[in-house]
Amino acid sequence: MFIRRIFYLLFLLVLACSKDKEEEPEYVLKNYEVSVEATEGGTVSYAGGSIQAGQTVTVNATPSEGYQFTGWSGDATGNENPLTVTVYSNTNITANFERIKYVLNVGVIGSGQVSQTVISSSKKGEEYNAGTVIRLNANPNSGSLFTTWSGSTSETSSEIDITLDGSKSVTATFEEQIFNLVNQ
């Protein structure tokens, strides 16, 4: 009986050792869809696609001329540029841009008025979109003459075009006209 038990234990030991190892389960990481867009006025460096969970995506937002980057929306926020996102779900990101606005201050010295005509773009108060061309026309009052512009330009013509590539100040100078009366 003792030998039988030893034989039985040896049999179990051999059986346990000869068993095939169980294969470890294979883990498959899920893929997620990443969509990246830009509003009017700029582009992004990454168009999107299928990304494996846990991977990072770096996106750079580049504004077009006359625009500025204002931040991210959708599944990303803030204004850090470039943006790095670790993907753990389907992700939609939008880069937002807006037109740069500049101020045109117009002053008058002497007796006259300055009219402003927008040649291109749209005006909102005293702010104009970057790249807007403004035509200024100096109109002297009766008894005065236009002499010159000063500030952001030194033109001497009464009608000038100003391209807003930054905030500008322009002043029209008018002088009183002096008449020489000769009695005959």
Side-chain angles (χ1 to χ4, degrees):
M1 180 87 153
F2 179 72
I3 294 182
R4 197 181 221 192
R5 283 187 182 186
I6 291 178
F7 180 72
Y8 181 68
L9 286 174
L10 282 174
F11 175 74
L12 288 177
L13 183 63
V14 169
L15 184 64
C17 290
S18 67
K19 227 181 185 189
D20 288 337
K21 281 189 169 181
E22 287 186 30
E23 290 185 26
E24 291 188 25
E26 193 175 306
Y27 295 100
V28 177
L29 291 177
K30 187 172 182 178
N31 283 347
Y32 292 104
E33 290 299 315
V34 176
S35 170
V36 182
E37 318 180 317
T39 61
E40 178 185 353
T43 60
V44 289
S45 63
Y46 180 77
S50 183
I51 301 294
Q52 196 173 61
Q55 297 293 312
T56 59
V57 174
T58 300
V59 183
N60 191 27
T62 305
S64 301
E65 188 175 334
Y67 286 83
Q68 64 187 356
F69 172 68
T70 59
W72 303 100
S73 61
D75 293 323
T77 58
N79 56 7
E80 181 181 325
N81 191 19
L83 172 71
T84 300
V85 176
T86 303
V87 177
Y88 292 108
S89 64
N90 289 333
T91 305
N92 295 306
I93 300 170
T94 302
N96 299 293
F97 301 91
E98 72 178 7
R99 274 263 193 205
I100 297 171
K101 305 256 189 247
Y102 294 117
V103 174
L104 174 63
N105 294 310
V106 179
V108 172
I109 296 174
S111 182
Q113 300 85 34
V114 176
S115 64
Q116 298 179 40
T117 305
V118 178
I119 302 301
S120 66
S121 195
S122 61
K123 178 182 177 187
K124 294 180 181 172
E126 292 303 308
E127 288 188 344
Y128 296 89
N129 290 335
T132 300
V133 178
I134 308 297
R135 178 163 291 149
L136 300 178
N137 197 346
N139 301 306
N141 288 344
S142 178
S144 292
L145 295 172
F146 169 78
T147 58
T148 189
W149 296 98
S150 60
S152 297
T153 185
S154 58
E155 296 285 327
T156 56
S157 172
S158 65
E159 183 177 278
I160 61 170
D161 290 346
I162 301 282
T163 300
L164 293 178
D165 52 6
S167 293
K168 295 188 176 184
S169 293
V170 178
T171 300
T173 301
F174 300 93
E175 291 182 359
E176 204 173 314
Q177 195 173 24
I178 300 174
F179 294 99
N180 286 331
L181 298 177
V182 178
N183 289 335
Q184 290 186 342

